[in-house]
Amino acid sequence: MEIKTNDILQKYPVGKSENLIPILQDIQDVEGYLSEASVVEVGRHLQMPTGKIYGVATFYNQFRFKPLGKYHIQVCRGTACHVLGSATVLEEIEKELAVKSGNTTRDGMFSVEVVACIGACGLAPVVAINGNFHAKLTADKIKELIDNYRNQE
Amino acid sequence: MSKTKVIVGLGSCGLAAGAAKTYDALDKIKTADNLDFELAKTSCIGMCFREPLVEIKDESGSYIYGEVTPDRADEIIEKHIKQFSPIHDYVVQSDVFEARDNAFYEGQVKIALRNCGYMDPENIEEYETRDGYKAIKKIIDNKMSPEDVIQEVLDSGIRGRGGGGFPTGLKWRFAKNSEASQKYVICNADEGDPGAFMDRSILEGDPHSVLEGMLICGYAIEANAAYIYCRAEYPLAIKRLNIAIKQATEKGYLGKNIFGANGFDFEIFIKEGAGAFVCGEETALIASIEGERGMPRRRPPFPAEKGLWKSPTNINNVETFANVPWIIYQGASSYNRYGTEKSKGTKVFALTGTINNGGLVEVPMGMTIKDVIFKLGGGIKDDKKFKAVQLGGPSGGCIPEHLSETIVDFDSVNATGAIMGSGGMVVMDESTCVVDIARFFLDFTQKESCGKCTFCRIGTKRMLEILTRITEGEGKDGDIEALEDLSHQIKDSSLCGLGQTAPNPVLTTIKYFKDEYEAHIRDKKCPALTCKKLLSYKVIEDKCTGCTVCAKACPVDAISGERKELHHIDMSICTSCGLCFTKCNFDAIEVY
């Protein structure tokens, strides 16, 4: 894992702290999350205390410190989705998978995350699973949707 | 005879609705049957409610087909292309006949969206044929000085489209007047307002117009480097911006000595946001580009004096930049023909919520909100009653039905207590509870507060707690007054726009819908039947068949009744979870 982090760090000059966010984004793209080992590496490269890096990373919603499940479910909780019932959609997903948002199922299959707005308001309520959009959802469509992914296994 | 063109809308909304499959299906038929038409791509056409959209342009005119699934695509090619007989039932908009959604376009004036849906955003030549990069060429050819450019922008009367409404020309002049060897232009594409997607559509559909607008700004304020700060949640927009920057650099519109003008260098970089709403605030955005926590800084000094890396910086929003090339090329007087006395030009709105025709519209300033919702938007879904519209997202407010004659311009909207904002227009019907909406927005701003100012950090938290209590039936006398008091304190004591506007949704809903707050607090009732814990359930006698489904579903055994006999709900045990209501197959459970 650290080898990958090193590869990414090579692209950025040593000690230039303005690149911190792009570096963290690159690492998360490749590894799925920010591990402690990676953060230490970044600190060494940018000559920055890890505490400062965590200070920045935890400020932004994008960064995760735990690995993702195989299927990453993003539930849009934007205004348009809210008005059209995304709260019950989220509730149903949490119930079906028996996890709270922000967590991953024990078998490592599904991660549930709430996002502020995906920008596909015309199709509300929207859920994106690994980047694929599922539009105009209602609570009673959730089981079928998740079963479809389960059956792919 | 020009060739028939078949154009597929491949913006995020279209793709989410399956437009890629439609495109593949069309491509397959074209190859299989060796058909003679040109298959093209474009981005958002604007009618999100009819995605996927396919436009066919032939000699007779333009036909936009809606809800084009791969099957429907086959049928359309069969009839329209092979037999020259358009299928009128599927056409949603046309300039040939009165199609069902033609009204959606009537009254729209497309300036910022002039190219969205009309060209392939990944092809710079198409932008060039649509007067692209001619505004910057005009500046160089006519030897317009930076001051001339600023004066032209000032004369157009355009005000910042990000929400604040500050005159763009004036902002440019401040940056121009700051002496420094290094200056920056920043495009704020951190569209974090939930329920808004204007900027995303422009970036996906017409990235070059934004680049050209930034280039013109760079010329005017004498900057040679620029950043686009774009949300990471918009991968397609970032991809198309990267393509556009590469093409513009190859063509010599970006780089060194542009148009041979000695010393006119301009480079544009993309910075991906990392998901923090507060970074839409300009000083927080600057902090984020510098690699820091995105926390706002004290102003003054304003970014025009000391911005990015302490250099003078001018920040505008995506829509503002998209307007600039048109203003320069067509002239300020063409632009300020539209609009009201103090708000010139047009405004793009993202129409969403419980509205029939949700999508992207661009209207001249001065149109009434009612016309936007009913004429363009086609009214409220399922013939429900229009209740209110939320303008300006979490920083804005609710405008109630009785004020729907309010016109869209900065000052009229501000007078209602809402703000114009960046252009999200979320329509709500009678089944939307405004207290719940206020709670929803406070939940958002409370999470997104960066924590720098105490009143914003803790005050929004307290407000959220009170609102949550109210929606759960635990409201008490004095809650409304406490909310108002906290609102004013937060507004007065916050450093940036987030805190200063966060209480707006609460204040406007209290102002216009006080009775609903009182119903929640005193009668423990939610008139819109939204707040779950305040709902009661009963069995409708003549509909109940005694199937026992509800009784089995009830997690707390509050429903009693023998098989084939009338059931009964004991409200003293009921937890108002609503399961019986959703499980009943005979609509025999009533909510009240």
Side-chain angles (χ1 to χ4, degrees), chain B residues 259-305:
Chain B
F259 286 109
N262 210 4
F264 180 26
D265 305 339
F266 201 68
E267 266 191 292
I268 300 180
F269 307 96
I270 297 175
K271 279 271 178 182
E272 279 181 44
F277 176 67
V278 70
C279 289
E281 199 279 337
E282 51 185 25
T283 57
L285 189 156
I286 288 171
S288 181
I289 293 183
E290 292 173 356
E292 304 278 331
R293 289 165 70 100
M295 289 164 111
R297 295 168 179 172
R298 203 162 53 93
R299 297 179 300 183
F302 286 90
E305 299 160 58

Side-chain angles (χ1 to χ4, degrees), chain A residues 25 55 60-62 79 82 117 119, chain B residues 194 200 273-275 288 292-293 436:
Chain A
Q25 285 170 330
Y60 295 98
N61 298 328
Q62 192 187 16
T79 321
H82 177 75
C117 184
Chain B
R200 193 208 73 210
S288 181
E292 304 278 331
R293 289 165 70 100
D436 175 63

